[in-house]
Amino acid sequence: MLRWMRLKNLALVDRADLEFGPEFNVITGETGAGKSVIMGGVGLLLGGRADKSAIRIGTDRCEVSGEFSLDGVSASRVEAILAEAEIEPDPSGNLLVRRVITASSSRNFVNESPVTLQILHRIGEVLVDIHGASGSHQLLKNRNQLEMLDRFGDLDAPLSRVREVWKELSDLRREKKAFAESMPSAEETARFRRDAAEIEKGAPVSGEDTELESKHALAAHSRSIIETALSCANALSECEDSLADRAGQIRRMLGDLEKFDPDHAEQFISEMEEISARIMALSGDLAGHASDVEIDEGEFMAMEERLRVLQTLKRRYGPSLDDVLSHLAFLHSRIEAYDNSEAIRADFDKKEHELLLALKQACGALSAARKKAGASLAKEIASELKKLGFRRSAFDVAFTDAEPGPDGADHVEFLFTANPGVPLMPLREVASSGELSRVMLAVKTVLAEADSIPILIFDEIDANIGGETASRVGREIAALAKRKQILCISHLPQVACNAAVHFMVSKESVADVTTTSVRKLSPASRIDEIARMLGGGEIAKKHAASMLG
C-alpha cells in the first residue's frame, strides 16, 4: 500500500502531506481546486515525466516523495527490480521513492539510491493501476480485453507455450530468410570454386611462411656466413700474429713471473691457459660451422618460389596465412551451401511445418482454456453489473479466429447491452461514458483476485452517474477496497461517504497568490464536505450525517 505522500512546490501546492489508509481513500473538492495535482504527484512517483511547468511559480524546484509498504507477490517483484538495479531492499519491507525536479533536471531516488525513470516506471507497473474516466476507454481495446481474460483465467502456462513455439518459428523463419538472402548465385559459386582451387593448389600450412622466411634468410647469406666464420677462425689461430700466438707469448711471460712471485704466477698461468684453450675451441667451432653451411642453389630457388606462392595467396586472401585458411573455410561453406541448397531448403521447410503444427496445437489448447475462462468471466461480470444498477443487462465474451501469433489465434470482443431486448453489441459501440465506468469497475472487481497489483487509483470513474447507481458504485468500490488499497477522486457524495479515509482539496487566493491545500477530514468536517457535495444547507448537512452513519 501507499502509506504516505508528500508534495512540495508542485503546481499550486505549497506543501501537502497525505497519510493514506489501507482500504478506500477518497479525495474530493470543488471543481478546479486541484484534485488532479494529487494524481499528478502519484504519477511522478511512478516514473511519469515532468518538466519545469510542474514547479510552483516563485520557486526553483519541486519535490514529491512517498513510502510504500510491500508484501506478497508485489514485494518479490519489486525486490527483483531493485536487485537488477543493485539497490538494497529495506529490511522492514518499505519502499521510499523521492523525486526532485528543477528547471533543468530531474533526480530520482529509491531508498535514497539514485535510479532512472525506467526503474520507477517498472516499479509503478508492479504496484499501481490507474484508471480514469478517459482511461476506461482502454477497456474498449481488443488487445486489453484479451489480456484481462488471460489474467482472469490464469492462463500464463498455455500462453507461454504459444509464445515459446512462436519464438522458435520466428527464429527459424529469420534463419531461413538469411540463408536465402546469402545463397550465392551460380556465377558467384563458380568464382568461389576457382578461388578455393587456387588456395588448395598452394596448400598453405599455418605458420609455414614464418619458418620458411627464416630459412630463406639463412640461405640467402650462406656465402657471407662461411667467409666470416673462416676469417674469424683464421684470426683466432691460423694467421701470423693470431690471437692464439699472442696468448702463447703472454703465457711465456707469466713463466718469467713465476721466478719472482710464484704464489700469484700459478693463478695467472692457470687462467691464461684456460683462455688459450677457449680461443682454440672457438676457432674450431667457427671452422666447423663454416663447413656445415651448404650452398644448394636448387633448394634456394625452391624456397624463393614457395615464398612467392604464399605471398600471392596472402595478398589476395590475407593479409595473414591464417586469414587465407579462414577464407578457404568460408569458400567451402558457400560452395557446400550452393551444392546442398535443395536439401537445406527442404530441411527448413520440414522444421517450419513441424513448428506450425506445434503452434496450431498450442493455440488450440490456449483457445479452449480461454473459452472456458471467458464463460466464467462473462458470468461474474454480469453478476457485478447487476449490483451496479444494470439489473437487466447482459455481458458476454465473443471469440473469432485470428491469424496465429505470439498471443494465440483468438480475437476477443467484450459484448454488452444495458437493456433487455437490445442485442449484445461490442462494448465500444454501445456503452456511454457512465456505463463504461461501471463496466470497468465490474471488470476490476472480478479481476481483483487474479490481479497481483495491490493499489488501484480511480480518477473520477464515477463521472456521468448519480442517484442509486452512484450509491451502488460507492459500495462496490468499498467492497473492492477490502482486497486492494484504493485512492479515488470523486465528485459524488454517494461514493465519498463509503470511504474509510477522506481528503479534501481546496484552493485559496491571497494577494494574487493562489495556493492549493489538502487536508484529511475529521468526522465532523467530513459531514460538512459531504453536505457541500449534496448542495449545501442544513437539510444537506442532516442528509450527509445520515449517509455517513
Side-chain angles (χ1 to χ4, degrees):
M1 61 170 281
L2 177 59
R3 297 178 61 190
W4 57 263
M5 182 173 68
R6 176 174 298 149
L7 311 178
K8 293 176 63 177
N9 298 326
L10 179 65
L12 296 178
V13 176
D14 177 19
R15 179 185 175 105
D17 291 280
L18 296 85
E19 292 188 13
F20 299 104
E23 297 182 357
F24 185 4
N25 302 263
V26 73
I27 301 165
T28 64
E30 295 276 6
T31 300
K35 297 187 293 295
S36 60
V37 176
I38 308 302
M39 292 301 100
V42 175
L44 290 173
L45 288 180
L46 305 180
R49 296 195 175 275
D51 55 37
K52 60 183 179 180
S53 64
I55 304 171
R56 178 173 166 78
I57 295 174
T59 63
D60 59 2
R61 56 187 266 171
C62 69
E63 183 173 332
V64 181
S65 53
E67 185 179 69
F68 298 85
S69 60
L70 308 175
D71 57 23
V73 175
S74 59
S76 60
R77 289 180 176 177
V78 169
E79 284 178 9
I81 296 172
L82 295 181
E84 187 178 328
E86 300 182 349
I87 298 174
E88 288 292 328
D90 188 301
S92 63
N94 295 327
L95 184 81
L96 178 62
V97 179
R98 183 165 63 94
R99 294 193 65 182
V100 179
I101 300 160
T102 66
S104 60
S105 67
S106 171
R107 291 179 293 149
N108 322 299
F109 304 89
V110 170
N111 293 343
E112 297 304 328
S113 296
V115 297
T116 63
L117 278 182
Q118 183 183 19
I119 294 296
L120 288 186
H121 182 70
R122 289 176 60 191
I123 291 173
E125 288 181 329
V126 169
L127 294 180
V128 182
D129 200 356
I130 299 179
H131 299 276
S134 59
S136 297
H137 292 284
Q138 294 296 316
L139 185 60
L140 305 181
K141 296 180 179 179
N142 296 110
R143 179 176 179 81
N144 292 340
Q145 294 174 3
L146 187 64
E147 290 177 355
M148 291 175 189
L149 174 62
D150 289 342
R151 288 211 313 271
F152 172 79
D154 191 19
L155 303 182
D156 284 348
L159 181 59
S160 295
R161 174 57 184 161
V162 168
R163 289 176 175 172
E164 176 187 337
V165 178
W166 176 258
K167 182 179 185 305
E168 289 183 41
L169 179 61
S170 299
D171 291 345
L172 178 74
R173 284 172 169 170
R174 279 193 294 272
E175 188 179 348
K176 181 180 178 180
K177 181 181 179 183
F179 173 78
E181 291 175 347
S182 65
M183 174 62 58
S185 65
E187 292 78 8
E188 287 176 315
T189 304
R191 179 169 56 83
F192 290 159
R193 293 187 198 279
R194 290 194 299 272
D195 291 348
E198 181 183 11
I199 297 173
E200 288 168 348
K201 182 180 179 181
V205 177
S206 179
E208 176 189 4
D209 52 342
T210 302
E211 181 180 352
L212 195 58
E213 285 168 359
S214 176
K215 289 182 179 179
H216 179 268
L218 183 64
H221 300 94
S222 58
R223 290 188 187 281
S224 298
I225 292 170
I226 292 172
E227 291 174 358
T228 301
L230 290 177
S231 296
C232 290
N234 188 50
L236 285 169
S237 63
E238 299 299 327
C239 69
E240 186 178 347
D241 196 28
S242 66
L243 196 57
D245 289 343
R246 292 189 180 188
Q249 293 174 6
I250 295 171
R251 168 64 181 84
R252 289 191 291 275
M253 292 169 64
L254 289 173
D256 295 337
L257 180 64
E258 192 175 12
K259 300 175 184 177
F260 313 110
D261 189 2
D263 293 339
H264 293 91
E266 183 179 358
Q267 175 188 346
F268 297 148
I269 290 171
S270 175
E271 292 179 6
M272 194 63 233
E273 287 176 347
E274 182 180 348
I275 291 171
S276 295
R278 292 180 66 184
I279 289 172
M280 296 305 295
L282 178 58
S283 176
D285 289 344
L286 286 167
H289 180 62
S291 64
D292 288 341
V293 176
E294 298 180 358
I295 304 175
D296 187 332
E297 293 293 339
E299 182 180 351
F300 181 73
M301 294 297 293
M303 279 192 288
E304 286 200 324
E305 175 59 21
R306 182 59 179 165
L307 282 173
R308 185 193 65 76
V309 170
L310 296 180
Q311 290 297 338
T312 298
L313 292 177
K314 288 195 292 184
R315 184 175 65 255
R316 292 181 180 175
Y317 311 110
S320 72
L321 212 52
D322 285 340
D323 292 328
V324 174
L325 294 170
S326 295
H327 187 65
L328 179 62
F330 166 76
L331 293 173
H332 283 157
S333 70
R334 295 289 80 210
I335 294 169
E336 183 181 2
Y338 181 83
D339 291 343
N340 300 324
S341 59
E342 290 304 318
I344 293 173
R345 287 192 185 96
D347 187 53
F348 274 127
D349 291 342
K350 178 175 178 290
K351 290 179 180 177
E352 185 175 14
H353 178 69
E354 291 171 350
L355 286 172
L356 283 170
L357 287 178
L359 180 64
K360 183 179 179 181
Q361 292 174 352
C363 287
L366 177 61
S367 291
R370 279 173 170 166
K371 288 171 182 175
K372 183 178 179 181
S376 298
L377 177 64
K379 183 178 178 180
E380 293 192 28
I381 290 177
S383 176
E384 285 297 324
L385 287 171
K386 287 178 172 56
K387 297 177 186 179
L388 294 172
F390 293 112
R391 295 185 181 276
R392 304 180 67 183
S393 65
F395 187 92
D396 199 6
V397 180
F399 291 84
T400 54
D401 293 337
E403 190 71 22
D407 295 320
D410 299 303
H411 178 86
V412 168
E413 187 79 66
F414 284 2
L415 304 179
F416 172 75
T417 180
N419 304 299
V422 178
L424 284 161
M425 297 287 288
L427 190 61
R428 63 179 179 275
E429 296 181 16
V430 299
S432 68
S433 59
E435 290 172 338
L436 189 58
S437 296
R438 281 183 281 168
V439 174
M440 192 276 293
L441 179 57
V443 171
K444 294 307 298 184
T445 300
V446 171
L447 291 177
E449 294 299 330
D451 200 337
S452 62
I453 295 177
I455 304 168
L456 299 179
I457 295 179
F458 295 147
D459 188 359
E460 296 192 6
I461 67 158
D462 50 15
N464 302 315
I465 62 173
E468 179 57 27
T469 299
S471 298
R472 291 194 187 101
V473 168
R475 291 193 294 271
E476 285 302 302
I477 292 177
L480 182 57
K482 299 298 181 184
R483 289 168 287 177
K484 308 279 185 180
Q485 184 191 34
I486 292 180
L487 278 60
C488 177
I489 291 181
S490 178
H491 66 284
L492 293 178
Q494 299 97 317
V495 172
C497 69
N498 286 280
V501 178
H502 193 153
F503 297 93
M504 186 182 76
V505 179
S506 59
K507 184 164 64 175
E508 183 181 11
S509 297
V510 178
D512 295 329
V513 176
T514 302
T515 303
T516 291
S517 60
V518 184
R519 64 187 180 97
K520 186 176 182 178
L521 298 182
S522 65
S525 56
R526 192 176 181 194
I527 292 174
D528 293 336
E529 173 63 4
I530 296 294
R532 180 198 65 77
M533 297 172 74
L534 288 167
E538 286 301 317
I539 295 176
K541 196 166 185 178
K542 290 178 181 179
H543 189 190
S546 66
M547 290 175 68
L548 292 168

